Amino acid sequence: EAGVAQSPRYKIIEKRQSVAFWCNPISGHATLYWYQQILGQGPKLLIQFQNNGVVDDSQLPKDRFSAERLKGVDSTLKIQPAKLEDSAVYLCASSLGGPNQPQHFGDGTRLSIL
Amino acid sequence: AQTVTQSQPEMSVQEAETVTLSCTYDTSENNYYLFWYKQPPSRQMILVIRQEAYKQQNATENRFSVNFQKAAKSFSLKISDSQLGDTAMYFCASTTSGTYKYIFGTGTRLKVLA
């Protein structure tokens, strides 16, 4: 089966600019996650979708971050305006759903803010 | 609140030897699940092994096994016959039956030496 696809792989922008990331989960996976992974740390959940509804976005900085999952498949994560502390790898993962199901991760997008 | 703690930032092991990575967790839930994920330098996170809290038997996957001590809230990963390809960051994670939210530890960087 095809894995979780993410693009772009790398992105460099200046602070206060905007950026968007795209994720295509594994076909049939109902649950989709976006994580922020700062260098040297574990992934931090930003938002979790179940189909096209938001399950958890408690750690999403909503003043600058937004995410959507149209039609319960692809998802986009946007940052506007970017800050220096947003430099990180943004990981997308998907699963069949259920707490015992493993997550399948994409390669991530490495974002550098100048 | 759910927490996951990995107290070993870095470890190294000689090829073909055995190494144990530590993880402790805290949760007020009765039904929960524990995972170990591996993140090689290429960055894609993959599942190594998982354990259901209601199962007393420790999970095993080929060279990987866990020591699950429920009363102590400890979930360590043992890698036997270490191989150079085991070099990676290893993350411990937990979820509960109430949500599908993963909580990750800060990771242990393992280096297998030739």
Side-chain angles (χ1 to χ4, degrees):
Chain A
E1 68 181 1
V4 176
Q6 286 189 251
S7 67
R9 189 72 188 268
Y10 303 92
K11 191 73 178 179
I12 301 173
I13 62 172
E14 295 186 347
K15 60 182 179 182
R16 291 188 290 274
Q17 287 188 324
S18 63
V19 64
F21 313 125
W22 173 81
C23 174
N24 186 17
I26 292 173
S27 178
H29 280 196
T31 311
L32 185 147
Y33 309 79
W34 281 104
Y35 291 92
Q36 180 191 60
Q37 187 176 21
I38 292 173
L39 187 64
Q41 298 182 17
K44 183 184 85 171
L45 180 69
L46 292 175
I47 190 167
Q48 177 182 333
F49 292 95
Q50 182 71 15
N51 296 309
N52 60 351
V54 175
V55 174
D56 187 329
D57 63 357
S58 57
Q59 297 191 93
L60 187 74
K62 298 180 186 65
D63 58 334
R64 298 183 301 105
F65 286 64
S66 64
E68 60 181 8
R69 189 182 185 195
L70 298 176
K71 300 180 182 178
V73 182
D74 292 8
S75 178
T76 56
L77 176 69
K78 296 179 182 178
I79 307 175
Q80 182 181 10
K83 291 185 175 181
L84 293 175
E85 61 260 34
D86 298 332
S87 292
V89 174
Y90 290 84
L91 297 169
C92 179
S94 70
S95 76
L96 286 170
N100 64 332
Q101 292 296 319
Q103 296 192 7
H104 299 261
F105 287 81
D107 288 335
T109 296
R110 184 180 297 279
L111 175 66
S112 298
I113 312 293
L114 304 178
Chain B
Q2 227 176 309
T3 61
V4 176
T5 302
Q6 293 179 253
S7 58
Q8 303 155 315
E10 292 188 10
M11 293 188 73
S12 61
V13 62
Q14 288 295 133
E15 196 175 8
E17 294 191 345
T18 296
V19 64
T20 299
L21 309 183
S22 300
C23 173
T24 58
Y25 62 91
D26 194 15
T27 178
S28 57
E29 300 284 336
N30 290 322
N31 296 321
Y32 55 92
Y33 304 85
L34 300 165
F35 305 82
W36 279 99
Y37 281 85
K38 170 185 176 180
Q39 189 176 40
S42 64
R43 206 162 70 221
Q44 189 170 74
M45 192 103 69
I46 56 174
L47 177 70
V48 175
I49 198 165
R50 62 178 161 177
Q51 173 83 41
E52 290 86 350
Y54 61 84
K55 289 187 177 178
Q56 293 186 338
Q57 188 173 6
N58 289 325
T60 299
E61 289 286 342
N62 301 314
R63 298 182 296 108
F64 299 89
S65 61
V66 300
N67 183 5
F68 175 45
Q69 300 289 325
K70 191 171 184 178
K73 295 186 177 177
S74 170
F75 182 60
S76 60
L77 174 69
K78 185 172 83 170
I79 306 174
S80 303
D81 186 25
S82 297
Q83 300 175 0
L84 295 177
D86 296 332
T87 293
M89 283 289 288
Y90 286 82
F91 293 97
C92 180
S94 74
T95 67
T96 68
S97 60
T99 71
Y100 306 161
K101 181 177 178 177
Y102 270 55
I103 302 296
F104 284 88
T106 51
T108 295
R109 185 179 303 280
L110 175 68
K111 188 168 185 179
V112 179
L113 307 172

